[in-house]
Amino acid sequence: MAKPPKPPAAPARPPGARRAAERALLALVVASAIGVGVVGFLAWQQSSRTARPGIETTAVVLPPAAYVGHAACVACHAPQAEAWRGSQHAQAMQPATPATVLGHFDGTRVTYSGVT
């Protein structure tokens, strides 16, 4: 009995061809995932900027921040206010008057950054 003929051999691949194909496929998958992520993010940003029917928004205008004074804080923060009252910080915040300035600056000239 005669042996059947062998099928023709597949063409030989160059070394590393499979690895290069895998890398190309991986790059394509990663690029596609990044593209989908960017498009999704942009769509989400756009949807958060557009008005939604049935939802009303009103702008709230607040007055500019201003110092409310020591008395406004003492009501809720009495222990802290008492501790501050006897501190060097409280003394440093007093208006500069002959009674509160303890140094002797008679006839002293001070220059800083070219300003006298």
Side-chain angles (χ1 to χ4, degrees):
M1 196 175 321
K3 291 183 178 177
K6 290 184 180 178
R13 287 187 181 172
R18 180 180 174 128
R19 188 168 182 95
E22 289 173 350
R23 285 185 180 169
L25 180 60
L26 177 63
L28 179 64
V29 168
V30 168
S32 298
I34 290 172
V36 167
V38 168
V39 169
F41 176 76
L42 293 174
W44 173 74
Q45 285 289 316
Q46 185 62 33
S47 71
S48 66
R49 290 186 189 145
T50 57
R52 293 185 177 93
I55 299 176
E56 289 192 34
T57 58
T58 14
V60 176
V61 179
L62 299 175
Y67 179 64
V68 294
H70 176 74
C73 301
V74 174
C76 297
H77 302 282
Q80 292 84 357
E82 186 58 37
W84 180 82
R85 190 173 297 124
S87 72
Q88 290 180 344
H89 289 282
Q91 293 174 353
M93 298 298 117
Q94 298 177 66
T97 66
T100 60
V101 176
L102 304 179
H104 299 285
F105 299 102
D106 297 339
T108 303
R109 185 180 200 127
V110 178
T111 303
Y112 179 75
S113 294
V115 177
T116 301

